Amino acid sequence: MSIKYAILGILAERDLHGYELKTNFDDKVGEFWSLNFGQIYSTLDRLEKDGLVTHDRQAQDKRPDRKIFSITKKGRIILTQWLSTPISKVRALRDEFFIKLVFMDKDNPAAVLDLIEKQKMLHLKHMNRLTRRKVALKSKICNRDTLPTELLLDAGLFHAEADIKWLTLCETKIKTEIKRKE
Amino acid sequence: MDRSDEKTEELTMIELRHAGRKFRQGLREVKALSDVSLVIRKGEFLSIMGPSGSGKSTLLNLIGGLDRPTEGEVILDGRPLHGITDDQVTLLRRRHVGYVFQFFNLLPLLTACENVGLPLLLDGLPFSKVKQKAEALLEKVGLAERIEHRPDQLSGGEMQRVAIARALIADPAVLLADEPTGNLDSHTGEEIFLLLKSLNDRGQTIVMVTHDPKAAAYGSRIVTLKDGHPAQDICIGED
């Protein structure tokens, strides 16, 4: 769904062939989102059928022609509309960890607390990795615009932090429950 | 002592051996910390993380000689903090430890430059000499334009930068920070952490206590405290 708009967004900057599109995509959001060539080409096909993208053939020495893709006027209109519309769908509350909590042994809260602790540590390690990437990004002298990547890393950090806070609250509530039963 | 022990010694900045701290609250005895054994290596950026009441500030105070353990030992850069007088501990602390607090603790009537230089002035160094060093440090923390400003003319982030420069004035072996961004917004806080990180990259040993996972994540190592005892020790490799 958003791959379509990401590709339109990249082509709105300049015309590119498929391989360049992929590198450009990886550069911009690859940190959080991996995309294979198959997905890129099938999306390009669909965009072409919808008249949002078109292509030119470029002859190459001893190799088959390559396709240079460009965005159409209609494509630009669709992209601009999409860019200016907020997302009305709220992130789904469907955490795998929550399912674990539901099915954990009620008579063995120590095991639940242990699992929570381990989960928190994993989040903390993840935050440390994201922070290191952010520090590296900010200390690198780069001519391309790194702000969107930095903001994505921040989003990852805030989400992990929220998970840790939630797990800490789980811990406290489970402990309170244990005390109440004693 | 064999060679490997010598090597370990060389790389150790702070060592706690079975350190504990009890407080009396009326008739009750409260154990803020118990049996903490911890080695902090030179050049490390250690985050100590835990909820309030987990003993993390007490631990930082023991490391920096602001407080003394009721059990066990603390060794700072090869110098034991036990078996010496309080005055000797104070002197060691002034010479070897830099402190950064949540509430900046700057003197309101002094300029940024004077605040930064104060620890050396108290040591009896002439102002001309101190001034040069204080100005260089203010430049290092990005405040070249704020040297003559007083705290009320500075933003929160700038005040914390002044406090960091002040903590560095005596070339401390270790920089200790207690919730250094607890009083700052996310963006300003991030700039403070990037500054600490760049100091660490240049070899400064840093120990920071915090309850904030975003802050702790800047460390090269994270120790979590639980009920006055280290619970987890995460060393982060370069993956």
Side-chain angles (χ1 to χ4, degrees):
Chain A
M1 171 259 345
S2 308
I3 299 175
K4 163 180 161 184
Y5 295 105
I7 288 178
L8 288 178
I10 292 168
L11 290 178
E13 285 174 5
R14 65 193 173 95
D15 299 349
L16 292 169
H17 58 77
Y19 180 77
E20 287 172 323
L21 242 172
K22 162 121 172 80
T23 6
N24 208 303
F25 184 91
D26 288 348
D27 246 22
K28 289 197 160 75
V29 291
E31 194 88 40
F32 286 86
W33 199 356
S34 73
L35 204 57
N36 57 43
F37 283 109
Q39 287 167 297
I40 295 212
Y41 285 113
S42 65
T43 311
L44 281 168
D45 269 353
R46 211 155 6 100
L47 288 170
E48 255 194 303
K49 277 183 199 130
D50 294 342
L52 307 180
V53 159
T54 172
H55 77 265
D56 252 347
R57 281 188 182 275
Q58 192 181 53
Q60 292 190 109
D61 262 2
K62 293 172 195 160
R63 291 170 72 188
D65 291 357
R66 69 180 177 184
K67 291 179 176 179
I68 305 285
F69 293 93
S70 53
I71 189 168
T72 62
K73 200 172 167 195
K74 190 177 164 197
R76 281 188 195 275
I77 293 169
I78 296 282
L79 175 66
T80 311
Q81 272 174 1
W82 178 76
L83 284 175
S84 56
T85 315
I87 300 158
S88 52
K89 198 168 62 190
V90 179
R91 205 180 305 271
L93 252 184
R94 202 173 38 200
D95 197 277
E96 192 184 337
F97 193 85
F98 174 72
I99 309 295
K100 285 182 197 273
L101 277 184
V102 171
F103 292 106
M104 285 290 283
D105 184 358
K106 303 279 180 300
D107 298 325
N108 189 5
V112 185
L113 292 173
D114 186 54
L115 177 72
I116 292 177
E117 183 70 29
K118 283 180 182 146
Q119 193 64 53
K120 274 168 73 174
M121 286 308 119
L122 282 177
H123 284 310
L124 198 55
K125 276 187 187 169
H126 176 60
M127 289 183 77
N128 184 269
R129 274 193 298 273
L130 293 178
T131 302
R132 248 182 305 135
R133 279 198 233 168
K134 187 162 82 170
V135 171
L137 188 74
K138 291 192 77 105
S139 58
K140 228 176 6 197
I141 298 150
C142 237
N143 30 21
R144 75 184 168 87
D145 181 17
T146 57
L147 184 62
T149 309
E150 188 188 329
L151 294 176
L152 270 174
L153 287 167
D154 282 332
L157 283 165
F158 274 104
H159 284 297
E161 186 192 20
D163 281 331
I164 290 178
K165 280 186 179 168
W166 175 66
L167 288 166
T168 307
L169 184 66
C170 291
E171 222 167 35
T172 315
K173 288 193 172 175
I174 291 169
K175 280 183 189 161
T176 313
E177 187 71 8
I178 297 171
K179 273 192 192 144
R180 203 179 53 83
K181 280 183 184 159
E182 274 168 7
Chain B
M1 189 186 284
D2 67 26
R3 270 198 108 77
S4 65
D5 273 352
E6 262 174 54
K7 185 111 191 182
T8 318
E9 190 111 310
E10 259 172 46
L11 298 173
T12 300
M13 179 59 83
I14 294 149
E15 188 175 358
L16 284 93
R17 291 183 187 150
H18 309 288
R21 181 68 171 95
K22 289 179 198 154
F23 292 99
R24 284 208 167 281
Q25 273 184 358
L27 291 174
R28 237 156 44 98
E29 195 171 65
V30 181
K31 268 190 185 171
L33 283 177
S34 65
D35 196 23
V36 179
S37 291
L38 187 66
V39 172
I40 302 168
R41 288 185 301 277
K42 287 182 181 164
E44 204 161 54
F45 186 160
L46 173 68
S47 301
I48 298 171
M49 208 188 142
S52 52
S54 59
K56 55 189 192 304
S57 290
T58 306
L59 180 56
L60 197 73
N61 291 341
L62 293 188
I63 289 171
L66 269 183
D67 189 10
R68 304 180 84 168
T70 43
E71 291 123 47
E73 301 168 348
V74 180
I75 297 147
L76 172 65
D77 202 8
R79 303 171 185 86
L81 298 186
H82 53 273
I84 59 175
T85 66
D86 282 352
D87 284 350
Q88 285 171 312
V89 172
T90 305
L91 198 65
L92 274 179
R93 190 179 69 224
R94 278 236 303 266
R95 297 270 156 82
H96 304 287
V97 181
Y99 257 100
V100 179
F101 304 93
Q102 181 176 353
F103 296 104
F104 323 137
N105 296 9
L106 301 178
L107 293 178
L109 295 177
L110 301 186
T111 64
C113 183
E114 291 161 347
N115 264 293
V116 172
L118 195 62
L120 291 188
L121 293 174
L122 292 176
D123 261 358
L125 264 76
F127 185 66
S128 56
K129 213 172 186 175
V130 174
K131 189 170 185 275
Q132 213 178 8
K133 194 166 182 194
E135 285 178 359
L137 276 170
L138 282 166
E139 258 171 59
K140 194 170 168 184
V141 300
L143 292 180
E145 313 291 314
R146 296 283 185 274
I147 287 168
E148 296 303 324
H149 287 57
R150 284 196 320 269
D152 62 0
Q153 298 168 305
L154 300 171
S155 69
E158 288 171 339
M159 283 196 266
Q160 194 58 303
R161 282 168 191 271
V162 174
I164 291 170
R166 178 184 57 189
L168 295 173
I169 190 85
D171 302 313
V174 58
L175 182 68
L176 304 181
D178 193 346
E179 300 281 8
T181 63
N183 225 13
L184 302 172
D185 65 73
S186 299
H187 186 231
T188 314
E190 179 177 302
E191 285 172 348
I192 294 296
F193 290 127
L194 289 171
L195 172 62
L196 292 176
K197 189 82 183 60
S198 74
L199 293 169
N200 174 248
D201 287 341
R202 281 177 270 173
Q204 179 67 55
T205 308
I206 300 178
V207 182
M208 170 174 74
V209 299
T210 181
H211 72 281
D212 176 3
K214 277 217 288 297
Y218 281 86
S220 50
R221 179 179 166 204
I222 305 172
V223 169
T224 62
L225 275 191
K226 216 170 165 181
D227 309 320
H229 196 77
Q232 302 272 348
D233 193 333
I234 314 175
C235 263
I236 293 110
E238 298 293 320
D239 54 4

Coordinates of all heavy atoms in Angstrom, one line a residue, chain A residues 1-10 13 20-36 39-40 82-83 130 133 137 144-153 155-156:
Chain A
M1 N 0.8 -1.2 0.0 CA 0.0 0.0 0.0 C 0.9 1.3 0.0 O 0.8 2.0 -0.9 CB -0.9 -0.1 1.2 CG -1.7 1.1 1.5 SD -1.1 2.1 2.9 CE 0.1 1.1 3.7
S2 N 1.7 1.4 1.0 CA 2.6 2.6 1.1 C 3.8 2.5 0.1 O 4.4 3.5 -0.2 CB 3.1 2.8 2.5 OG 2.0 2.9 3.4
I3 N 4.1 1.2 -0.3 CA 5.2 1.0 -1.2 C 5.0 1.9 -2.5 O 5.8 2.5 -3.0 CB 5.4 -0.4 -1.6 CG1 5.7 -1.3 -0.4 CG2 6.5 -0.6 -2.6 CD1 5.7 -2.8 -0.7
K4 N 3.7 1.8 -2.9 CA 3.3 2.5 -4.1 C 3.6 4.0 -3.9 O 4.2 4.6 -4.8 CB 1.8 2.3 -4.2 CG 1.0 3.2 -5.1 CD -0.5 2.8 -5.0 CE -1.4 4.0 -5.5 NZ -2.8 3.7 -5.3
Y5 N 3.3 4.6 -2.8 CA 3.5 6.0 -2.6 C 5.0 6.3 -2.4 O 5.5 7.4 -2.9 CB 2.7 6.6 -1.4 CG 1.2 6.5 -1.7 CD1 0.5 5.5 -1.1 CD2 0.6 7.3 -2.6 CE1 -0.9 5.4 -1.3 CE2 -0.7 7.2 -2.9 CZ -1.5 6.2 -2.2 OH -2.8 6.1 -2.5
A6 N 5.7 5.4 -1.8 CA 7.2 5.6 -1.7 C 7.8 5.6 -3.0 O 8.7 6.5 -3.3 CB 7.8 4.5 -0.8
I7 N 7.4 4.8 -3.9 CA 8.0 4.7 -5.3 C 7.6 6.0 -6.0 O 8.4 6.6 -6.7 CB 7.5 3.5 -6.0 CG1 8.3 2.3 -5.4 CG2 7.8 3.6 -7.5 CD1 7.9 0.9 -6.0
L8 N 6.3 6.4 -5.9 CA 5.9 7.7 -6.5 C 6.8 8.8 -6.0 O 7.2 9.7 -6.7 CB 4.4 8.0 -6.3 CG 3.4 7.1 -7.1 CD1 2.0 7.4 -6.7 CD2 3.6 7.2 -8.6
G9 N 7.0 8.8 -4.7 CA 7.8 9.9 -4.0 C 9.2 10.0 -4.6 O 9.7 11.1 -4.8
I10 N 9.8 8.8 -4.7 CA 11.1 8.8 -5.2 C 11.2 9.3 -6.7 O 12.0 10.0 -7.1 CB 11.7 7.3 -5.1 CG1 11.9 7.0 -3.6 CG2 13.1 7.2 -5.8 CD1 12.2 5.5 -3.4
E13 N 11.2 13.0 -7.5 CA 12.4 13.7 -7.5 C 13.1 13.6 -8.8 O 13.6 14.6 -9.3 CB 13.3 13.2 -6.4 CG 12.8 13.6 -5.0 CD 13.6 12.9 -3.9 OE1 14.6 12.2 -4.2 OE2 13.3 13.1 -2.7
E20 N 18.2 1.6 -9.5 CA 18.4 2.9 -8.8 C 17.2 3.1 -7.8 O 17.5 3.7 -6.7 CB 18.5 4.0 -9.8 CG 19.7 4.1 -10.6 CD 19.7 5.1 -11.7 OE1 18.6 5.3 -12.3 OE2 20.7 5.7 -11.9
L21 N 16.0 2.8 -8.2 CA 14.9 2.9 -7.3 C 15.1 2.2 -6.0 O 14.8 2.7 -4.9 CB 13.7 2.4 -8.0 CG 12.5 3.3 -8.4 CD1 11.5 2.6 -9.2 CD2 11.9 3.9 -7.1
K22 N 15.6 1.0 -6.1 CA 15.8 0.2 -4.9 C 16.8 0.8 -4.0 O 16.6 0.9 -2.8 CB 16.2 -1.3 -5.3 CG 16.8 -2.1 -4.2 CD 16.0 -3.3 -3.9 CE 16.8 -4.2 -2.9 NZ 16.7 -3.8 -1.6
T23 N 18.0 1.2 -4.6 CA 19.0 1.8 -3.8 C 18.5 3.1 -3.1 O 18.8 3.3 -1.9 CB 20.3 2.2 -4.6 OG1 20.0 2.0 -6.0 CG2 21.5 1.4 -4.2
N24 N 17.8 3.8 -3.9 CA 17.2 5.1 -3.3 C 16.2 4.8 -2.2 O 16.3 5.5 -1.1 CB 16.4 5.8 -4.5 CG 16.4 7.3 -4.3 OD1 16.0 7.8 -3.3 ND2 16.9 8.0 -5.3
F25 N 15.4 3.8 -2.4 CA 14.5 3.4 -1.3 C 15.2 2.9 -0.1 O 14.9 3.4 1.1 CB 13.6 2.2 -1.8 CG 12.5 1.8 -0.9 CD1 11.2 2.4 -0.9 CD2 12.7 0.8 0.1 CE1 10.3 2.0 -0.1 CE2 11.8 0.5 1.0 CZ 10.5 1.0 0.9
D26 N 16.2 2.1 -0.3 CA 17.0 1.6 0.9 C 17.7 2.7 1.6 O 17.8 2.7 2.8 CB 18.1 0.6 0.4 CG 17.5 -0.7 -0.1 OD1 16.3 -1.0 0.2 OD2 18.2 -1.5 -0.7
D27 N 18.2 3.7 0.9 CA 18.8 4.9 1.4 C 17.9 5.6 2.3 O 18.3 6.1 3.4 CB 19.3 5.8 0.3 CG 20.8 5.9 0.2 OD1 21.4 5.0 0.7 OD2 21.2 6.9 -0.4
K28 N 16.7 5.8 1.9 CA 15.7 6.6 2.6 C 15.1 5.9 3.8 O 15.0 6.5 4.9 CB 14.6 7.1 1.6 CG 15.2 8.2 0.6 CD 14.0 8.9 0.0 CE 14.5 10.2 -0.6 NZ 15.2 10.0 -1.9
V29 N 14.5 4.7 3.6 CA 13.8 4.1 4.6 C 14.3 2.6 4.9 O 13.6 1.9 5.7 CB 12.3 4.1 4.4 CG1 11.7 5.5 4.5 CG2 11.9 3.5 3.0
G30 N 15.4 2.2 4.3 CA 15.9 0.9 4.4 C 16.1 0.5 5.8 O 16.1 -0.7 6.2
E31 N 16.4 1.5 6.7 CA 16.7 1.3 8.1 C 15.5 0.5 8.7 O 15.7 -0.3 9.6 CB 16.8 2.6 8.7 CG 17.3 2.7 10.1 CD 18.9 2.8 10.0 OE1 19.4 3.5 9.2 OE2 19.5 2.1 10.8
F32 N 14.3 0.7 8.3 CA 13.1 0.2 8.9 C 12.3 -0.7 8.0 O 11.4 -1.3 8.4 CB 12.2 1.3 9.4 CG 12.8 2.0 10.6 CD1 13.7 3.0 10.5 CD2 12.4 1.6 11.9 CE1 14.2 3.6 11.6 CE2 12.9 2.2 13.0 CZ 13.8 3.2 12.9
W33 N 12.7 -0.8 6.8 CA 11.8 -1.4 5.8 C 12.6 -2.0 4.7 O 13.2 -1.3 4.0 CB 10.9 -0.3 5.3 CG 9.6 -0.7 4.6 CD1 9.2 -2.0 4.4 CD2 8.6 0.2 4.1 NE1 8.0 -2.0 3.8 CE2 7.6 -0.7 3.6 CE3 8.5 1.6 4.0 CZ2 6.5 -0.1 3.0 CZ3 7.4 2.1 3.4 CH2 6.4 1.2 3.0
S34 N 12.5 -3.3 4.6 CA 13.3 -3.9 3.5 C 12.3 -4.3 2.3 O 11.2 -4.7 2.6 CB 14.1 -5.1 3.9 OG 13.2 -6.2 4.2
L35 N 12.8 -4.1 1.2 CA 12.0 -4.3 0.0 C 12.8 -5.1 -1.0 O 14.0 -4.8 -1.2 CB 11.6 -2.9 -0.6 CG 10.4 -2.7 -1.4 CD1 9.2 -3.2 -0.6 CD2 10.3 -1.3 -1.8
N36 N 12.2 -6.1 -1.7 CA 13.0 -6.8 -2.7 C 12.7 -6.3 -4.1 O 11.7 -5.6 -4.3 CB 12.9 -8.3 -2.5 CG 11.5 -8.8 -2.6 OD1 10.7 -8.3 -3.5 ND2 11.1 -9.7 -1.8
Q39 N 9.1 -7.0 -5.4 CA 8.1 -6.1 -4.9 C 8.1 -4.8 -5.7 O 7.1 -4.2 -6.1 CB 8.3 -5.8 -3.4 CG 7.9 -7.0 -2.5 CD 8.4 -6.8 -1.1 OE1 9.6 -6.7 -0.9 NE2 7.4 -6.6 -0.2
I40 N 9.4 -4.3 -6.0 CA 9.5 -3.1 -6.7 C 8.9 -3.2 -8.1 O 8.1 -2.4 -8.5 CB 11.0 -2.6 -6.7 CG1 11.5 -2.3 -5.3 CG2 11.2 -1.5 -7.7 CD1 12.5 -1.3 -5.2
W82 N -2.1 12.1 -1.3 CA -1.7 11.2 -0.3 C -0.9 11.8 0.8 O -1.1 11.7 2.0 CB -1.0 10.0 -0.9 CG -0.6 9.0 0.1 CD1 -1.3 8.0 0.8 CD2 0.8 8.8 0.6 NE1 -0.6 7.3 1.6 CE2 0.7 7.7 1.6 CE3 2.0 9.4 0.4 CZ2 1.8 7.3 2.3 CZ3 3.1 8.9 1.1 CH2 3.0 7.9 2.0
L83 N 0.1 12.7 0.3 CA 1.0 13.3 1.3 C 0.3 14.3 2.2 O 0.7 14.4 3.4 CB 2.1 14.1 0.5 CG 3.2 13.3 -0.2 CD1 4.1 14.1 -1.0 CD2 4.0 12.5 0.9
L130 N 19.6 1.3 18.2 CA 19.1 2.4 17.5 C 19.8 3.7 17.8 O 20.1 4.6 17.0 CB 17.6 2.6 17.8 CG 16.6 1.5 17.4 CD1 15.2 1.8 17.9 CD2 16.6 1.4 15.9
R133 N 23.1 3.9 16.1 CA 22.9 4.3 14.7 C 22.6 5.8 14.6 O 23.1 6.4 13.7 CB 21.7 3.5 14.1 CG 22.1 2.1 13.7 CD 21.1 1.6 12.7 NE 20.6 0.3 13.2 CZ 19.5 -0.3 12.7 NH1 18.8 0.3 11.7 NH2 19.1 -1.4 13.2
L137 N 24.9 8.4 12.6 CA 24.2 9.2 11.6 C 24.5 10.7 11.8 O 24.8 11.5 10.9 CB 22.7 9.0 11.6 CG 21.9 9.6 10.5 CD1 22.1 8.7 9.3 CD2 20.4 9.6 10.9
R144 N 23.5 14.0 1.8 CA 22.1 13.8 1.6 C 21.3 14.1 2.9 O 21.9 14.2 4.0 CB 21.8 12.3 1.2 CG 22.0 11.3 2.3 CD 21.8 9.9 1.7 NE 22.2 9.0 2.7 CZ 21.4 8.5 3.6 NH1 20.2 8.9 3.7 NH2 21.9 7.6 4.5
D145 N 20.0 14.3 2.8 CA 19.2 14.7 3.9 C 19.0 13.5 4.9 O 18.3 12.5 4.5 CB 17.9 15.2 3.4 CG 17.0 15.7 4.5 OD1 17.5 15.9 5.6 OD2 15.8 15.8 4.2
T146 N 19.6 13.6 6.1 CA 19.5 12.5 7.0 C 18.3 12.6 8.0 O 18.1 11.8 8.8 CB 20.8 12.2 7.8 OG1 21.1 13.4 8.4 CG2 21.9 11.8 6.8
L147 N 17.7 13.8 8.0 CA 16.6 14.1 9.0 C 15.5 13.0 9.0 O 15.2 12.5 10.1 CB 16.1 15.5 8.8 CG 15.0 15.9 9.9 CD1 15.7 15.8 11.3 CD2 14.4 17.2 9.6
P148 N 14.9 12.6 7.8 CA 13.9 11.6 7.9 C 14.4 10.3 8.6 O 13.6 9.7 9.4 CB 13.5 11.4 6.4 CG 13.9 12.6 5.7 CD 15.1 13.1 6.5
T149 N 15.6 9.9 8.2 CA 16.1 8.6 8.9 C 16.2 8.8 10.4 O 15.9 8.0 11.2 CB 17.5 8.3 8.3 OG1 17.4 8.3 6.9 CG2 18.0 6.9 8.7
E150 N 16.7 10.0 10.8 CA 16.9 10.3 12.2 C 15.5 10.2 12.9 O 15.3 9.7 14.0 CB 17.5 11.7 12.4 CG 17.9 11.9 13.8 CD 18.3 13.4 14.0 OE1 18.9 14.0 13.1 OE2 18.1 13.9 15.1
L151 N 14.5 10.8 12.2 CA 13.2 10.9 12.8 C 12.6 9.4 12.9 O 11.9 9.1 13.9 CB 12.2 11.8 12.0 CG 12.6 13.3 12.0 CD1 11.7 14.1 11.1 CD2 12.6 13.8 13.5
L152 N 12.9 8.6 11.9 CA 12.4 7.2 12.0 C 13.1 6.5 13.2 O 12.4 5.7 13.9 CB 12.8 6.5 10.7 CG 11.7 6.5 9.6 CD1 12.2 5.9 8.3 CD2 10.4 5.8 10.0
L153 N 14.4 6.7 13.3 CA 15.1 6.1 14.5 C 14.5 6.6 15.8 O 14.3 5.8 16.7 CB 16.6 6.5 14.4 CG 17.4 5.8 13.3 CD1 18.8 6.4 13.2 CD2 17.6 4.3 13.7
A155 N 11.4 7.5 16.2 CA 10.1 6.8 16.4 C 10.3 5.4 17.0 O 9.6 4.9 17.9 CB 9.4 6.7 15.0
G156 N 11.4 4.7 16.4 CA 11.7 3.4 17.0 C 12.0 3.4 18.4 O 11.6 2.6 19.2

